[in-house]
């Protein structure tokens, strides 16, 4: 049987990743290069997030993994199991009990508290990539704060759709300095990025970048005066728990085209139901 | 009067090979300077040194900035130089695709410089972009089309609109009519002449086409092997060239 070091990665690699994390925390929103390691899972499975989690986990941590808000998808289960096996840490699905939460595509609805760490899996860390493919040029644009191009992207959106149609990975400006891609979370979650009590760490495995938001960082979503940013969501209540303040997934419930809206954050929805809240579609 | 641009002793080598050597001249506000010479004579090298795209081995490029008066743009910081590059300076490339974002609509292309200097009102940006399309004779209905759907002449006019929208004071142009059909060239030249006159622009135009400078330039510099061999008022140089090389250049055009 193979002997793993705690949390799979060797101590030297974890130190290297921690240095990148600390640098990221010191320069909020700045993409720090790091030497990404091979992980025993495909890139699409969030190897950047996994490496960051491996570097911050301690034996006394309680670990939670969500994928699109759910704890029970294949991706979430396999990452949770991976750290159960390699680090022996306790796991949970309860947002408030977790000390480290790895996520893809969502920020939990329940406000995070001090002492928690939220680790994002990031596919493409460079927000300028869409219009400027040259890495040497995007690096220069960041260092000189030349961000006009970000607004060109939003301009194109409005000219094509009549409104800013970007609904995921909506670009933000951090502490009035770096423009950052918050990973493909819905723009509804952008409102939670700023002034958060928890530490937020972003890991991109294939692209070998780590960036971070320390607690209580100012984060502003880019927009135009006459097309202001809106943290929109489906205009419904959760069919299961009746919540009016959570991000909803639309489900097809029968072959007659019946639909229902449910919280994408399963822990949030279940906790509300357990507390007696009931939506119109609840049994 | 303070020159808008004062170029002193610009030299650029490529290894042992000379790109341009010891070029000096002053450009006054509202003046158009033409730089002519055969292919390989160092015109583009000189232009790129002046516009901050190449770092010369020697010399100064002093620009009369709005806020701080004359400054050597070669020794100023890169952020300052790049800021000039998207405010008071404009650069029109020979190939429109080098100066346009081909994946972005015409409106987005024109609006980019506005957004780069902080404009944040979509309606205003779009209005200004549409206005500028009109000024370069592109129909307003094309504002959301990508330049890939434009003809060569339209692309070049779009590139000009994209450059002039922030009201620059100095425009660098490298063979702006090169590669276009003759009739398309004539229309573009007319347009450029109108814009230069109406906006009181100062410009430096590099070309191997003497008809272009005849129409646009107040003064001329003739380059050969990286050096300026003759300079003067356009009509004087073209009608009564003094240097043997200038005479050759002018006569070869007459033969065409
Ligand atoms: N990147 C380069 N590397 C080496 N030599 C170059 C380079 N660019 C231009 N040159 C040389 O410098 C001289 C001037 O070139 P250039 O400025 O492009 O002339 P022009 O624009 O008048 O045609 C030519 O001999 C050319 O071959
Ligand atoms: Mg040239
Ligand atoms: Zn719910």
């Amino acid at each position: 049987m193979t002997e793993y070091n705690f949390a799979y990665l060797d101590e030297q690699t974890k130190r290297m990743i921690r240095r990148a994390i600390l640098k990221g925390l010191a320069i909020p929103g700045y993409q720090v290069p790091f030497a990404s390691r091979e992980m025993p899972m495909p890139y699409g499975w969030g190897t950047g997030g996994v490496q960051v989690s491996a570097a911050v986990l301690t034996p006394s941590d309680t670990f939670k993994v969500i994928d699109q808000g759910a704890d029970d998808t294949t991706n979430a289960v396999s990452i949770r199991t991976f750290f159960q096996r390699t680090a022996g840490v306790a796991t949970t699905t309860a947002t408030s009990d977790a000390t480290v939460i790895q996520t893809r595509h969502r920020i939990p609805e329940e406000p995070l508290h001090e002492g928690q760490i939220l680790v994002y899996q990031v596919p493409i860390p460079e927000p300028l990539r869409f219009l400027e493919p040259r890495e040497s040029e995007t690096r220069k644009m960041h260092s000189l704060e030349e961000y006009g191009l970000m607004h060109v992207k939003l301009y194109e959106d409005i000219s094509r759709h009549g409104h800013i149609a970007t609904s995921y990975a909506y670009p933000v400006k951090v502490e009035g300095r770096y423009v950052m891609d918050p990973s493909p979370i819905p723009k509804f979650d952008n409102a939670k990025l700023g002034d958060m009590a928890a530490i937020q760490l972003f890991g991109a495995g294939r692209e070998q970048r780590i960036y971070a938001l320390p607690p209580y960082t100012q984060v502003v979503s880019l927009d135009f005066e006459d097309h202001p940013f809106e943290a929109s969501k489906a205009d419904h209540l959760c069919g299961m728990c009746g919540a009016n303040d959570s991000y909803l997934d639309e489900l097809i419930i029968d072959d007659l085209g019946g639909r229902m809206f449910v919280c994408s954050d399963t822990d949030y929805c279940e906790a509300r139901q357990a507390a007696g809240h009931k939506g119109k579609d609840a049994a | 009067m303070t020159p808008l641009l004062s170029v002193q002793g610009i030299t650029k080598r490529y290894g042992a090979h000379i790109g341009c050597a010891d070029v000096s001249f002053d450009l006054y506000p509202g003046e158009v300077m033409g730089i002519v010479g055969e292919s390989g004579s160092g015109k583009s090298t000189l232009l790129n040194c002046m516009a901050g795209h190449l770092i010369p081995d020697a010399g100064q490029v002093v620009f009369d900035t709005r806020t701080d008066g004359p400054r050597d743009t070669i020794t100023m910081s890169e952020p300052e130089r790049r800021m000039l590059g998207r405010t008071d300076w404009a650069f029109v490339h020979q190939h429109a695709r080098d100066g346009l974002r081909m994946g972005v609509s015409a409106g987005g292309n024109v609006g980019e410089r506005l957004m780069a200097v902080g404009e944040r009102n979509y309606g205003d940006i779009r209005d200004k972009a549409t206005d500028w399309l009109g000024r370069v004779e592109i129909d307003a209905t094309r504002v959301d089309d990508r330049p890939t759907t434009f003809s060569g002449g339209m692309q070049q006019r779009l590139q000009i609109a994209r450059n002039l929208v922030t009201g620059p004071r100095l425009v660098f142009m490298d063979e702006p009519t090169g590669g276009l059909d003759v009739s398309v060239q004539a229309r573009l030249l007319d347009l450029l002449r109108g814009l230069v006159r109406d906006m009181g622009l100062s410009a430096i135009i590099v070309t191997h086409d003497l008809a272009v400078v005849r129409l646009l330039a107040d003064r001329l510099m003739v380059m050969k092997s990286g050096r300026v061999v003759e300079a003067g008022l356009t009509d004087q140089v073209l009608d009564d060239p003094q240097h043997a090389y200038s005479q050759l250049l002018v006569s070869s055009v007459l033969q065409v």
Side-chain angles (χ1 to χ4, degrees):
Chain A
M1 203 192 122
T2 321
E3 278 292 311
Y4 293 118
N5 190 39
F6 175 79
Y8 186 78
L9 291 176
D10 61 83
E11 291 306 310
Q12 200 186 332
T13 298
K14 286 193 274 185
R15 271 198 296 276
M16 177 270 294
I17 295 173
R18 286 176 199 140
R19 273 197 297 273
I21 291 171
L22 287 172
K23 185 166 177 184
L25 286 166
I27 317 169
Y30 172 76
Q31 298 168 50
V32 185
F34 80 109
S36 185
R37 292 296 144 91
E38 288 288 327
M39 297 300 285
M41 57 192 74
Y43 276 123
W45 285 51
T47 56
V50 169
Q51 290 176 78
V52 169
S53 291
V56 300
L57 277 172
T58 67
S60 58
D61 272 312
T62 303
F63 190 54
K64 169 181 164 84
V65 186
I66 48 172
D67 178 15
Q68 321 258 1
D71 298 82
D72 57 0
T73 70
T74 318
N75 185 301
V77 170
S78 84
I79 292 171
R80 193 165 60 234
T81 311
F82 176 76
F83 283 114
Q84 253 169 346
R85 266 218 318 269
T86 60
V89 289
T91 61
T92 183
T93 59
T95 298
S96 54
D97 293 345
T99 53
V100 177
I101 303 172
Q102 183 170 330
T103 181
R104 180 167 80 158
H105 296 184
R106 279 308 315 276
I107 296 175
E109 303 294 357
E110 186 176 326
L112 299 184
H113 52 78
E114 286 182 14
Q116 290 183 304
I117 300 177
L118 184 59
V119 177
Y120 296 78
Q121 301 173 200
V122 179
I124 298 169
E126 179 50 72
L128 297 160
R129 176 74 45 81
F130 173 74
L131 290 168
E132 180 51 72
R134 288 169 299 175
E135 159 95 29
S136 59
E137 191 59 19
T138 55
R139 206 176 314 131
K140 191 161 276 178
M141 289 164 141
H142 281 294
S143 73
L144 300 179
E145 281 184 76
E146 293 179 2
Y147 290 129
L149 207 51
M150 251 7 280
H151 275 87
V152 173
K153 183 170 185 281
L154 299 178
Y155 172 97
E156 291 291 285
D157 240 20
I158 302 172
S159 73
R160 223 169 295 153
H161 307 282
H163 59 98
I164 298 178
T166 300
S167 54
Y168 287 87
Y170 192 105
V172 296
K173 193 159 200 184
V174 178
E175 289 287 334
R177 179 57 183 86
Y178 285 98
V179 166
M180 186 190 98
D181 184 327
S183 87
I185 56 173
K187 66 178 178 180
F188 174 79
D189 282 344
N190 273 31
K192 303 175 192 156
L193 287 164
D195 211 29
M196 187 190 281
I199 292 173
Q200 299 175 78
L201 305 176
F202 299 78
R206 190 181 40 222
E207 307 258 348
Q208 317 210 63
R209 290 290 185 278
I210 285 172
Y211 48 102
L213 299 172
Y216 307 112
T217 296
Q218 183 206 61
V219 179
V220 177
S221 301
L222 302 182
D223 62 3
F224 288 101
E225 294 158 7
D226 47 347
H227 287 269
F229 172 78
E230 275 178 81
S232 57
K233 67 175 198 66
D235 191 14
H236 292 272
L237 302 180
C238 171
M240 298 304 292
C241 76
N244 65 359
D245 59 354
S246 74
Y247 190 74
L248 303 172
D249 287 336
E250 188 177 0
L251 306 180
I252 312 277
I253 49 175
D254 56 40
D255 46 13
L256 301 171
R259 281 151 204 283
M260 138 182 201
F261 289 90
V262 199
C263 296
S264 105
D265 184 336
T266 48
D267 171 61
Y268 184 71
C269 197
E270 281 161 17
R272 278 180 54 85
Q273 292 175 60
H277 296 281
K278 227 172 166 160
K280 71 176 175 57
D281 303 309
Chain B
M1 187 162 48
T2 313
L4 183 64
L5 192 75
S6 181
V7 175
Q8 286 147 33
I10 288 294
T11 298
K12 173 73 186 174
R13 289 182 209 89
Y14 299 106
H17 191 83
I18 285 181
C20 64
D22 200 23
V23 178
S24 304
F25 71 94
D26 288 337
L27 182 79
Y28 287 89
E31 248 191 332
V32 177
M33 169 70 85
I35 302 175
V36 296
E38 66 191 350
S39 175
S41 57
K43 306 181 297 294
S44 295
T45 299
L46 174 62
L47 193 73
N48 283 308
C49 284
M50 294 189 286
H53 300 166
L54 282 176
I55 300 165
D57 298 307
Q60 291 186 316
V61 176
V62 178
F63 180 72
D64 187 14
T65 63
R66 282 181 213 235
T67 44
D68 305 321
R71 299 270 317 272
D72 182 7
T73 61
I74 289 165
T75 52
M76 74 171 40
S77 71
E78 190 180 18
E80 287 179 290
R81 195 163 49 239
R82 281 174 69 113
M83 179 58 100
L84 268 186
R86 55 181 195 271
T87 52
D88 262 351
W89 288 2
F91 197 102
V92 177
H93 296 261
Q94 171 175 359
H95 301 289
R97 56 182 58 248
D98 294 335
L100 291 174
R101 292 193 188 278
M102 300 307 278
V104 169
S105 69
N109 263 290
V110 179
E112 179 174 347
R113 275 170 79 111
L114 298 171
M115 294 181 248
V117 297
E119 291 213 19
R120 292 292 177 262
N121 188 292
Y122 174 82
D124 289 351
I125 293 164
R126 193 173 174 79
D127 287 348
K128 284 183 193 165
T130 309
D131 175 54
W132 263 99
L133 290 185
R135 291 168 77 167
V136 297
E137 299 167 12
I138 294 174
D139 198 277
T141 58
R142 304 300 302 270
V143 66
D144 293 330
D145 295 344
R146 292 188 177 185
T148 41
T149 66
F150 288 8
S151 68
M154 278 173 78
Q155 289 183 2
Q156 200 56 301
R157 281 180 274 131
L158 179 62
Q159 191 192 181
I160 289 163
R162 166 181 161 88
N163 269 284
L164 298 189
V165 66
T166 47
R169 291 190 295 153
L170 176 58
V171 186
F172 300 99
M173 295 187 236
D174 195 353
E175 309 270 7
T177 60
L180 298 174
D181 292 344
V182 176
S183 64
V184 176
Q185 279 188 21
R187 184 173 174 198
L188 188 67
L189 279 176
D190 255 9
L191 182 83
L192 275 175
R193 193 163 60 158
L195 288 170
V196 164
R197 203 179 36 218
D198 296 349
M199 297 177 76
L201 287 176
S202 310
I204 300 174
I205 301 182
V206 157
T207 180
H208 65 275
D209 183 349
L210 299 188
V212 170
V213 285
R214 173 82 83 180
L215 206 62
L216 288 177
D218 303 305
R219 286 196 293 145
L220 267 196
M221 294 199 307
V222 181
M223 287 185 77
K224 179 181 187 302
S225 308
R227 295 179 184 275
V228 175
V229 295
E230 182 162 357
L233 296 174
T234 301
D235 291 342
Q236 246 167 41
V237 174
L238 292 183
D239 297 339
D240 186 18
Q242 299 299 304
H243 192 277
Y245 177 76
S246 312
Q247 290 167 0
L248 203 66
L249 202 69
V250 169
S251 65
S252 71
V253 156
L254 292 179
Q255 283 164 15
V256 172

